[in-house]
Amino acid sequence: MSASSRAGTDADDAATFWSDVDRHLVRYAGASRFTPEIIDRAAGSYLFTADGRRILDFTSGQMSSILGHSHPDIVATVRRQIATLDHLFSGMVSRPVVDLARRLVDTLPAPLRKVLLLTTGSESNEAAIRMAKLVTGRHEIVSFARSWHGMTHASASATYSAGRKGYGPAAPGNFAIPAPNSYRPDFVAADGGLDWPRQLDVAFDLIDAQSVGSLAACIVEPILSSGGVIEPPVGYLPALQQKCRERGMLLILDEAQTGLCRTGSWYAFERDDVVPDILTLSKTLGAGLPLAAMITSDEIEQTAHERGFLFFTTHVSDPLVAAVGNTVLDVAHRDALDKRAAELGSQLQTGLASIGARHDVVGDIRGRGLLVGLELVVDRATKESSAELSTQVTERCLELGLHLNIVQLPGMGGTFRIAPPLTATPEEIDLGLEILDQAIGEVTQRLLD
C-alpha cells in the first residue's frame, strides 16, 4: 500500500472513530469536550496518539499515575495477580489487602490505624462522611467553597467548585466556607495579605448561625486542586481543626491528589503537624488503577462498628488493586519519591518563575512538590482573568506536544494544574517548561496583534 493510501485509510479510521464518539458516548465533562486526540498507548511520562504523535503528560492521567504510565513494576504485579487472585466476595479478605492496610498504617501517625480499601475518591469520601455521621450521631457537613470531593451523593453534596445546579436537592445540612486563597484574598490584613484567622472566624460564625445543632464533620483538601491549586497558609489547618474540636466535629482530610509523596512529603498534612480524624486516599494510591482508602482511628472504628457501620460494596477489599497498592508503596520507598517530588518540584517552580518573569500574563505560581498551579491573568494589577487566553494556551500546548489541565472557575483566572509523574526526569520537566513558555508567548503575541 502506498503512503498516500495508508494516509487515506488512517483518515477514514479516525473519522469513523470520532463519528462513533458522537453517536455512542455520553458527554460527561460538562461543557468541556473530549481532547481531540486518539490515544493509542502510554509509557512513562508520555502518551502516544494513533497518528504517531508523542505528548508529554503533565497531568499524570487524571492526576493519578504518580509512577508514570505502564510502570514495569505495576505491569508485573498486574500480570502476576490477575492470574492468581483478582476479585472476591466482599466479605472475604486476602493477603494483599491485609498487607496494604498494615503498610499504609506504617506510613501514618497515630491514631490512624484502621483501613477500608475501596475504588475511587468519591467512594472513599462517601464512606468517610457516612462514618462521621454515624459516629457523631449528626448530619451536617462543612467544606470549602472551591472544593471537589466526588460525584456520588454525599461527596457531591460537599463539592462546590462545579456540578451543583440542575440535579435536585443535595444532602441536607451541607455548608460551604470560603477557601483561603492568598492570591485573591477576601479578608485583607494590614500588610495586604489574606487575613485568614478573621476569615475563618467569620466563616464559623456563619456556620453556627445556620446549623441546627447537628455538625458532624468538616471535609477539606490540604491543597485544593480542582479549586485552582489553593494552598491554605501555614497555621490554617490547625486552626480549622480547633474549630472542629470546639463543636464536636470530626476533621476529614481528602488527600486524593496530595497523598503518597506528590507534595514532597508522604502526606500534605505533615507540613501542618495536624492529624485528621479520618483520612481519605485515592488516585495516587493506585497509580492510575481504581484503588482508594479510608483510614481512621481504633476509637472511631470501634464506635462505628458498634453502631452497625455498613459500607458493603462490590469492590471493597479487592485483591488485584490491593496488590498494585503494595507495589506503589514498594516503589515509593525504594526510589524515595517524596524527596524526588521535592527536588523536581523545586526545578518546576524555578522554571515557572522564569516564565513569569518573561510573560506579564502569569499572575501567580503556587503549590508544593509536583502539584503546582500557574494562574494566567490579562492584568497583574487587577488580576482580571480571560477564558480565551487560558483556553488558547492549553490548546497550543497540546499542539506542541504537552498535555495540561486548566481549571476555570467564575471569579478566578485560568489556573493550570501541573502534576507530572513523580518518575519524570529533569529533562522532561525542562521540556514541559519549554513548551509552556513557547505556547504562552505565541498566544499572547497573537492576542496583542
Side-chain angles (χ1 to χ4, degrees), residues 18 24 69 71 74 84 102 113 119 156 178 184 210 224 282 301 328 347 357 373 399 424:
W18 291 113
H24 301 301
H69 298 282
H71 189 283
I74 299 294
T84 55
R102 182 190 70 252
R113 289 293 175 264
T119 57
R184 296 176 180 273
Q210 297 171 82
L224 287 82
S282 54
E301 192 275 342
V328 171
Q347 177 189 348
E399 292 170 355

Side-chain angles (χ1 to χ4, degrees), residues 234-295:
V234 173
Y236 185 95
L237 286 182
L240 176 63
Q241 187 172 54
Q242 181 59 34
K243 296 288 188 187
C244 292
R245 293 282 182 268
E246 291 167 358
R247 292 159 178 79
M249 303 166 65
L250 301 183
L251 176 64
I252 303 168
L253 291 185
D254 176 358
E255 293 231 20
Q257 297 192 34
T258 54
L260 279 297
C261 302
R262 179 167 286 287
T263 64
S265 57
W266 272 77
Y267 302 98
F269 69 74
E270 293 176 36
R271 185 202 71 172
D272 298 276
D273 197 26
V274 166
V275 180
D277 299 294
I278 303 176
L279 173 69
T280 61
L281 304 173
S282 54
K283 294 181 182 292
T284 58
L285 181 59
L289 276 76
L291 177 63
M294 183 200 71
I295 308 170

